[in-house]
Amino acid sequence: MLSKSVMRAGLVATMFTASMVTALPAQSDGMDIEGIVEELTVELELSDEQVGQVTEALQGFGVALAEATATAEDEEPDTQAMMGAVKAARADFRSDMESILSEEQLTALDALVDEVFQEIFESLAELKITDLRAPLELTDEQADALKPVMGTAMRGMVAVIVDYSDKRMGPRSKLGMANKLKKIQSDMNAGMAEILTPEQIEKHEAMKEAQKEAQKED
């Protein structure tokens, strides 16, 4: 049996994130279905009948994912088509869950997924904050305060990228995606400005500019 933290991360990946879903094993038994159902049984107080229905829905979802990602190892896979198929499989699975669970259970499920999702991205943000600690001389309080700000921004950016991943990117789509990413970046900068001192903000901006220059040289 997987640890609870890994199980919860798998729950989020399985149900709601197309980009994470594509990284799952391409077999229905590659997912820890038993662990996910066990987690949901406790958190949502599933009945015996619902346990069977959710298990069946997860197994069907696993098969759909296997079919959707079957070409992932091809030399030149059609990523847009694959992501579209993954999104369709995810939508079908969500529809199945809506027919199985009560409104109260669905609300609890969404809250659970949102909580774990935020935990995942705040953990990723913590890695980036670690790199900023020394150069910006962050206090422990500042580092803790930055986690939800940066985690939320990273989560938003991933959501935008996934949303556009199966679209043909014409000028209008590219502009729409760029504007959404800029808005997320702007919100993050505003949040960081409430936590960092003016001197720290100046140092951070200088670090970002130096990073851009280094990327140009590469």
Side-chain angles (χ1 to χ4, degrees), residues 195-207:
I195 298 167
L196 303 179
T197 66
E199 292 77 13
Q200 288 172 319
I201 293 173
E202 186 176 347
K203 285 183 181 179
H204 188 228
E205 290 299 323
M207 289 173 63

Side-chain angles (χ1 to χ4, degrees), residues 129 133 137-150 191-192 194-197 200:
I129 292 168
R133 270 186 178 272
E137 299 180 10
L138 296 175
T139 65
D140 290 342
E141 290 76 13
Q142 286 178 315
D144 288 341
L146 284 172
K147 277 198 298 185
V149 173
M150 296 177 69
M192 293 179 69
E194 295 180 359
I195 298 167
L196 303 179
T197 66
Q200 288 172 319

Side-chain angles (χ1 to χ4, degrees), residues 4-211:
K4 187 170 183 178
S5 60
V6 173
M7 189 190 310
R8 285 161 68 88
L11 169 65
V12 174
T14 300
M15 294 185 178
F16 288 89
T17 316
S19 60
M20 291 182 182
V21 160
T22 58
L24 291 172
Q27 298 290 335
S28 61
D29 60 359
M31 296 186 292
D32 181 28
I33 292 177
E34 181 182 351
I36 292 172
V37 173
E38 180 180 318
E39 171 81 354
L40 292 178
T41 299
V42 173
E43 297 290 344
L44 307 183
E45 299 181 357
L46 298 179
S47 67
D48 290 343
E49 181 181 10
Q50 286 177 317
V51 167
Q53 292 171 329
V54 170
T55 300
E56 184 177 346
L58 278 166
Q59 290 170 339
F61 184 46
V63 171
L65 284 181
E67 294 174 351
T69 60
T71 62
E73 300 300 323
D74 289 357
E75 187 173 341
E76 294 184 5
D78 187 338
T79 305
Q80 289 180 326
M82 183 171 65
M83 291 300 290
V86 168
K87 285 184 178 182
R90 185 183 59 180
D92 289 344
F93 177 70
R94 174 68 181 188
S95 178
D96 288 341
M97 294 298 285
E98 288 175 350
S99 69
I100 295 169
L101 304 179
S102 67
E103 288 188 15
E104 183 178 345
Q105 287 172 319
L106 277 172
T107 299
L109 173 63
D110 290 341
L112 170 64
V113 170
D114 185 72
E115 174 191 341
V116 181
F117 219 160
Q118 189 66 20
E119 287 176 3
I120 291 171
F121 281 98
E122 286 189 18
S123 294
L124 294 174
E126 190 170 10
L127 297 176
K128 188 171 182 63
I129 292 168
T130 298
D131 293 335
L132 297 176
R133 270 186 178 272
L136 299 187
E137 299 180 10
L138 296 175
T139 65
D140 290 342
E141 290 76 13
Q142 286 178 315
D144 288 341
L146 284 172
K147 277 198 298 185
V149 173
M150 296 177 69
T152 297
M154 293 171 69
R155 177 178 174 178
M157 289 178 183
V158 168
V160 170
I161 292 169
V162 169
D163 185 46
Y164 281 86
S165 62
D166 61 335
K167 294 179 171 62
R168 300 295 176 184
M169 295 297 287
R172 183 172 296 181
S173 293
K174 289 180 180 178
L175 179 61
M177 180 177 176
N179 286 339
K180 289 181 180 180
L181 292 174
K182 285 180 181 177
K183 176 64 166 59
I184 293 169
Q185 183 70 47
S186 176
D187 290 345
M188 184 183 74
N189 290 341
M192 293 179 69
E194 295 180 359
I195 298 167
L196 303 179
T197 66
E199 292 77 13
Q200 288 172 319
I201 293 173
E202 186 176 347
K203 285 183 181 179
H204 188 228
E205 290 299 323
M207 289 173 63
K208 290 193 292 185
E209 287 301 318
Q211 188 176 33

